Amino acid sequence: VDCPCNLITACGSGNAGCHGHIHAYPAEARDRGWLVSRSVALPSAVPIEMHDGTWVLGCDGSRTPYEEGQAA
């Protein structure tokens, strides 16, 4: 289900730009929160690395700073 907590905007498409990088390196993308498996029960609990820090995205479109070791 598409929800702000599991959607990001990435430049490029297919195999180009950031979008292409995410799909070319899925393990890295999952580790960084850029790609969330459909088997994840609570996507809003997956922290995401962004240019300005690591965040937890809310279903309301909000974002909360994530601290290492914090239970997401």
Side-chain angles (χ1 to χ4, degrees):
V1 175
D2 291 337
C3 176
C5 70
N6 67 358
L7 293 173
I8 60 171
T9 301
C11 70
S13 64
N15 61 359
C18 295
H19 185 268
H21 183 92
I22 288 168
H23 289 285
Y25 302 96
E28 174 192 5
R30 280 189 295 277
D31 288 346
R32 294 184 173 204
W34 303 335
L35 189 62
V36 178
S37 171
R38 290 180 184 197
S39 67
V40 172
L42 192 59
S44 62
V46 177
I48 180 172
E49 288 182 25
M50 300 175 79
H51 70 280
D52 58 350
T54 302
W55 303 88
V56 175
L57 304 179
C59 291
D60 62 357
S62 64
R63 62 185 196 161
T64 305
Y66 175 80
E67 307 251 347
E68 189 66 35
Q70 164 186 339

